[in-house]
Amino acid sequence: MDRIRIKGGRQLKGEIVVSGSKNACLPLMVASLLTDQPLTLKNVPRLADITTMIRLLQQHGVEISATPGENGHSHGTTLTLKAGKIASTTAPYDIVRKMRASVLVLGALLAREGEARVSLPGGCAIGARPVDLHIAGLKAMGAEIDIDRGYIVAKAPEGLKGARYTFPKVSVGATENLIMAAALAKGTTVLDNAAREPEVTDLAECLSKMGVSISGIGTETLTIGGMERLTGTTHTVIPDRIETGTYAMAIAMTAGDVELVGGRLDLVEAAAQSLRAAGVVLKKTNRGIHVGRANGLHGVDVMTEPYPGFPTDLQAQMMALMTRAEGASMITETIFESRFMHVPELARMGANVTVHHESALVRGVPKLRGAEVMATDLRASVSLAIAGLAAEGETTLHRVYHLDRGYERLEEKLAACGAEIERLKG
């Protein structure tokens, strides 16, 4: 397995281009199943999860072509997806197990073909993330669903019907699945307590361009008028807000001075508020966001919440930053259980973190020390990289395949800003 080696103590200076959002792109790719016409997506990042979704959609019969973006990597890849005919309504275990977002094909296949057989999903090991909300919503729309030998088997021989469904708790994936199912359902669907994340909004806006009538975009109540068929369109994927926040924290960790080209402050407002309270300077520029430090780092308390609150996907990175802050910080995780698996690895580097149930008390330390550490999930892996950038000596990060699922060319982007970082093959 590849490893990443980091020699800490170098300030980050220069610019980093923010890639397109992985979490927005995956459901947008699935939306191609809803029409027999081409869907063209611009600003697509080159990531392992994108490759996995391409494989999944191709076995469903989607024809996919890719062309590099402008200036090489700077503006992402352009994907054109055409699902002229659905070749298979089964999403097999060997693909779905690699990525949780694969379950998003359930609603689209069921809406278009009247049936779907989708393996129960995999992905990062960060606690139970059941698909019961997806299933309950589709049942409300008239689907018959059973679980058979590890597969979700769904049928709607007469087609899905518009319905009103209230999510018992906010779920991004379930909201996206039901929006796509509702796009081809008969009648009107109303989704209450829907997720408001920018990635959900991006999907809704793309579907609107494909002919779906959607009102309430960006709010917790979405009203979707189902259509008999959808058209193709061209859509540019939003910048990755998690990558934006991650690099902002890495820059702050090294007392750096970097412009995040393509980053959007409006997508990371909750994280930006916490970072400013900690002594980080973030300013909107003509090209993105400038990140620097006003003075020392100060401990701040953070609680993860659904959007527009502080994102769970930035919790590990914030914890890494707080290990070097003056004073103490309380970080509380309310979205996923088992999302503190990076704590023992940070402790190997000298961090002082005490976990009690869903909260972690972080006491800032004068310095971190380089160590051999192991990634346990996508966001945990990058938190260790952030810690390594500021640690004395050398840090070696193992299991970086987690990192490759969500960060495009991380080593190249950091090295271009002065980090001493390299990938070791095998």
Side-chain angles (χ1 to χ4, degrees):
M1 294 183 189
D2 288 2
R3 294 159 290 149
I4 287 178
R5 182 167 62 198
I6 304 168
K7 292 183 180 178
R10 303 282 294 271
Q11 278 186 306
L12 298 179
K13 293 186 177 181
E15 64 180 47
I16 294 174
V17 176
V18 177
S19 298
S21 168
K22 172 185 81 98
N23 288 341
C25 194
L26 295 172
L28 287 167
M29 292 170 69
V30 173
S32 67
L33 294 169
L34 296 169
T35 177
D36 60 2
Q37 297 183 23
L39 171 62
T40 299
L41 300 176
K42 296 183 176 182
N43 198 32
V44 175
R46 297 175 61 181
L47 297 168
D49 275 9
I50 299 297
T51 302
T52 299
M53 183 60 79
I54 287 173
R55 283 186 57 213
L56 178 61
L57 293 175
Q58 284 176 331
Q59 70 88 43
H60 287 310
V62 183
E63 299 173 6
I64 302 175
S65 62
T67 55
E70 304 167 34
N71 304 324
H73 292 287
S74 298
H75 293 83
T77 299
T78 295
L79 287 183
T80 298
L81 309 95
K82 185 179 181 188
K85 184 178 181 183
I86 304 299
S88 169
T89 55
T90 296
Y93 169 77
D94 66 325
I95 299 178
V96 177
R97 68 181 174 86
K98 297 178 182 177
M99 183 181 65
R100 183 169 184 81
S102 303
V103 77
L104 292 174
V105 302
L106 177 63
L109 288 173
L110 185 59
R112 180 165 169 182
E113 296 293 308
E115 62 179 28
R117 185 172 178 266
V118 179
S119 174
L120 290 168
C124 286
I126 52 174
R129 294 194 283 175
V131 294
D132 54 344
L133 300 183
H134 304 243
I135 292 172
L138 291 171
K139 282 185 174 179
M141 298 171 71
E144 301 169 5
I145 301 180
D146 294 304
I147 305 296
D148 180 35
R149 290 174 290 181
Y151 278 80
I152 305 165
V153 180
K155 295 180 181 179
E158 303 300 320
L160 294 173
K161 299 176 178 61
R164 185 163 202 134
Y165 180 72
T166 300
F167 293 96
K169 63 179 181 178
V170 176
S171 168
V172 172
T175 300
E176 291 167 342
N177 226 333
L178 294 190
I179 291 173
M180 287 190 279
L184 291 178
K186 298 182 180 75
T188 300
T189 299
V190 180
L191 302 177
D192 291 312
N193 199 28
R196 292 183 285 163
E197 272 70 2
E199 297 79 13
V200 175
T201 294
D202 207 30
L203 173 64
E205 290 177 346
C206 179
L207 289 172
S208 291
K209 289 194 274 185
M210 295 170 70
V212 185
S213 170
I214 306 180
S215 62
I217 294 176
T219 75
E220 62 182 18
T221 300
L222 294 169
T223 302
I224 304 124
M227 306 295 291
E228 286 190 16
R229 67 189 303 271
L230 304 184
T231 63
T233 193
T234 298
H235 185 79
T236 300
V237 181
I238 58 172
D240 195 317
R241 63 191 174 101
I242 305 303
E243 184 180 81
T244 301
T246 296
Y247 283 125
M249 292 172 192
I251 296 159
M253 189 69 155
T254 68
D257 188 279
V258 176
E259 185 175 21
L260 298 177
V261 178
R264 279 175 46 187
L265 262 178
D266 62 305
L267 298 181
V268 293
E269 193 50 49
Q273 288 178 13
S274 295
L275 287 171
R276 288 181 178 124
V280 183
V281 176
L282 299 102
K283 293 181 179 177
K284 183 179 179 181
T285 69
N286 291 334
R287 300 196 303 161
I289 306 168
H290 175 260
V291 184
R293 278 251 299 267
N295 43 46
L297 281 173
H298 317 293
V300 294
D301 295 342
V302 166
M303 177 180 291
T304 64
E305 295 175 310
Y307 189 84
F310 191 96
T312 179
D313 280 351
L314 286 175
Q315 177 258 108
Q317 299 91 308
M318 190 69 180
M319 183 182 293
L321 181 63
M322 290 297 95
T323 62
R324 290 297 316 281
E326 296 175 15
S329 313
M330 183 69 75
I331 296 180
T332 303
E333 174 61 58
T334 70
I335 308 296
F336 293 129
E337 60 181 320
S338 304
R339 208 166 199 184
F340 285 146
M341 290 188 287
H342 45 283
V343 170
E345 301 304 300
L346 287 171
R348 293 169 63 82
M349 302 176 71
N352 184 348
V353 184
T354 304
V355 175
H356 184 69
H357 300 305
E358 73 278 5
S359 294
L361 178 64
V362 185
R363 298 178 178 88
V365 295
K367 65 180 180 180
L368 296 173
R369 302 178 300 274
E372 300 261 345
V373 291
M374 186 174 295
T376 53
D377 64 68
L378 169 56
R379 306 308 173 184
S381 64
V382 83
S383 75
L384 301 174
I386 288 173
L389 291 171
E392 291 185 357
E394 188 174 286
T395 297
T396 303
L397 175 59
H398 297 267
R399 291 189 179 175
V400 297
Y401 60 85
H402 287 294
L403 200 66
D404 294 336
R405 289 186 48 233
Y407 291 93
E408 181 179 24
R409 301 179 302 113
L410 177 105
E411 319 93 83
E412 292 178 42
K413 291 184 179 184
L414 290 174
C417 290
E420 199 168 337
I421 180 171
E422 64 177 336
R423 180 176 290 248
L424 306 174
K425 294 290 184 181

